[in-house]
Amino acid sequence: MRGQGYDGASNMQGEFNGLQALFHQECPYAYYVHCFAHRLQLTLNAAAKGVHDIWEFFSTLNLIVNFVDSSAKRHSVLRAIREEEIADLVAAGALQTGRGANQTCTLQRAGATRWGSHLRSISSLIKLFGATKTTLADLVGNGPNKALQKKAIDILNALNFLSITKSKLQDIREDGWDDLIMKVESFCCEHDIIMPDMSAPYKKATRACEQGITNEHYYRVNILNAVIDFQLAELDSRFTDNSLELLVLSATFDPRDNFRSFKSEDVCNFALKFYPQDFTSYDMLALDMECGFFVTDIHRDPRFAKTTSVSDLCRRLVESRKSSFFPMIYRLICLVLTLPVSTATTERAFSSMNIIKSKL
């Protein structure tokens, strides 16, 4: 075994008595990777709870979703209102028609175990905002109201997405305010929501540091920038473990930009440091010799022209039978591919077994 991956509970990733440590005692080169999906989920959950205004927003959102979905009658009312809304928009030419278009949907709940659910929850409310508003208003006036988780991605692309995400967040922090406020103004205008004057003093100040600031300053600095800073801090703190060194070193096989990252010295040091039992001294000499020919040969072969990932490179080495010409490099690439990015799909499979293993 050369790669092990699961979530970050202390009994799993503990340095001395955790499952990964016990495996490591038996297999010194079975490197542990804390599931990227779990780390992203923990990051987003922390960001959604760490800033009070954002926590209040998601709490309100969950209250709305729970209230509407907890009753089949309320759910039917929402669905009927949304169908009427779609029909009116189609008649007015505001929506295009076609096969599978304009399907009715329902509000989505933000879950604690799937990081994409927060986006789906917000998106569903935006899409159904008019119908939801009408439903709640109808219930207030006419009825009793007593209670108001890519399956396939390789290590290098995962690290690249992480870097891009941090860069995009920083771009939003520095230059994204104007675009955001324009979208908010458009949304408020569409749904008859009174938007506060951004140049007016912020009237809900509860702390001395908030006295005398404008609405724009509060929403931009105290909410938007605070959320982004919290998110960036969480990403930095949750993606600093020792396994990242192994993952970063594996970037030497990144085929993008004509194998710009490929260096013979890095390849040999990678094998020597992390997989010494898989490469004898003779194998290391062969690996060094193969590195001298590998990139030149790949550049001349048009079958590798559009290779974009390590898994794709491995597949094409087999298809072109070059794996037999570069056996040491092929072996090292296979070892890199044993390192897991995420174990979320596996855990969902185990969760589904609970449905099968029931009395039903």
Side-chain angles (χ1 to χ4, degrees):
M1 186 171 69
R2 290 295 182 270
Q4 49 174 325
Y6 21 82
D7 61 29
S10 59
N11 63 327
M12 305 297 280
Q13 72 163 350
E15 183 178 357
F16 301 106
N17 295 319
L19 181 62
Q20 67 92 13
L22 299 178
F23 269 122
H24 205 68
Q25 293 174 9
E26 298 293 331
C27 308
Y29 307 109
Y31 298 107
Y32 163 68
V33 179
H34 181 188
C35 174
F36 274 47
H38 282 82
R39 282 193 264 190
L40 287 173
Q41 177 61 33
L42 292 171
T43 298
L44 193 61
N45 278 341
K49 297 176 182 178
V51 180
H52 176 76
D53 294 278
I54 303 303
W55 170 84
E56 192 172 41
F57 168 79
F58 278 108
S59 297
T60 304
L61 175 58
N62 283 330
L63 284 174
I64 294 173
V65 175
N66 291 336
F67 175 71
V68 174
D69 278 356
S70 62
S71 167
K73 182 178 180 180
R74 297 175 201 144
H75 189 274
S76 298
V77 171
L78 175 65
R79 187 181 183 90
I81 293 175
R82 177 56 179 169
E83 289 174 352
E84 293 178 4
E85 189 177 73
I86 291 175
D88 292 339
L89 291 172
V90 171
L95 285 180
Q96 294 182 349
T97 59
R99 183 180 178 86
N102 306 322
Q103 297 291 317
T104 56
C105 56
T106 186
L107 295 173
Q108 301 290 318
R109 186 176 286 102
T113 57
R114 295 197 180 187
W115 59 278
S117 64
H118 289 76
L119 175 60
R120 288 195 298 272
S121 183
I122 296 174
S123 299
S124 68
L125 180 63
I126 292 175
K127 187 175 182 179
L128 297 172
F129 189 86
T132 303
K133 179 181 174 183
T134 304
T135 301
L136 295 177
D138 182 66
L139 290 172
V140 169
N142 302 317
N145 187 2
K146 298 182 179 179
L148 283 184
Q149 303 158 61
K150 240 173 188 178
K151 294 184 179 179
I153 183 173
D154 62 37
I155 292 289
L156 304 182
N157 278 322
L159 294 176
N160 185 48
F161 288 153
L162 176 63
S163 176
I164 291 174
T165 298
K166 293 168 68 174
S167 176
K168 290 291 185 182
L169 286 172
Q170 190 63 40
D171 290 343
I172 294 173
R173 190 187 192 283
E174 296 175 359
D175 304 311
W177 170 255
D178 291 336
D179 290 339
L180 175 62
I181 206 67
M182 287 179 61
K183 293 179 181 178
V184 172
E185 289 177 349
S186 176
F187 183 84
C188 291
C189 180
E190 180 182 353
H191 296 285
D192 298 324
I193 299 174
I194 300 176
M195 182 172 176
D197 181 2
M198 290 291 105
S199 61
Y202 180 66
K203 298 181 179 180
K204 297 181 180 180
T206 57
R207 292 172 291 183
C209 62
E210 296 176 351
Q211 301 294 332
I213 66 174
T214 63
N215 286 324
E216 179 178 0
H217 182 278
Y218 177 79
Y219 288 112
R220 182 173 186 174
V221 176
N222 292 43
I223 296 184
L224 178 65
N225 289 358
V227 170
I228 293 176
D229 291 341
F230 200 98
Q231 187 84 340
L232 290 172
E234 283 291 315
L235 288 172
D236 288 336
S237 66
R238 295 189 184 279
F239 288 88
T240 57
D241 53 39
N242 294 331
S243 66
L244 286 185
E245 180 187 3
L246 171 64
L247 307 185
V248 171
L249 285 175
S250 68
T252 189
F253 290 110
D254 188 352
R256 292 171 298 180
D257 298 327
N258 289 324
F259 292 87
R260 183 181 60 181
S261 302
F262 187 91
K263 296 179 181 178
S264 300
E265 182 180 357
D266 290 344
V267 172
C268 294
N269 289 336
F270 180 49
L272 186 62
K273 180 176 182 179
F274 289 100
Y275 298 105
Q277 285 190 349
D278 293 282
F279 294 89
T280 65
S281 57
Y282 176 79
D283 291 336
M284 290 302 301
L285 290 174
L287 178 63
D288 188 34
M289 293 180 61
E290 289 179 13
C291 289
F293 295 91
F294 179 71
V295 174
T296 302
D297 183 65
I298 293 299
H299 282 168
R300 294 178 178 178
D301 194 328
R303 291 173 291 185
F304 291 82
K306 296 182 180 180
T307 307
T308 58
S309 67
V310 179
S311 57
D312 192 22
L313 171 62
C314 184
R315 187 180 303 109
R316 297 192 186 198
L317 284 173
V318 175
E319 292 173 351
S320 63
R321 299 184 181 180
K322 290 185 183 293
S323 57
S324 60
F325 288 94
F326 303 105
M328 297 300 107
I329 290 180
Y330 175 71
R331 180 187 301 176
L332 192 54
I333 290 174
C334 289
L335 288 169
V336 169
L337 290 176
T338 64
L339 301 172
V341 175
S342 170
T343 57
T345 302
T346 311
E347 294 205 358
R348 291 189 196 116
F350 278 101
S351 298
S352 299
M353 288 174 64
N354 292 329
I355 302 174
I356 301 172
K357 293 165 59 179
S358 68
K359 293 181 180 179
L360 298 177

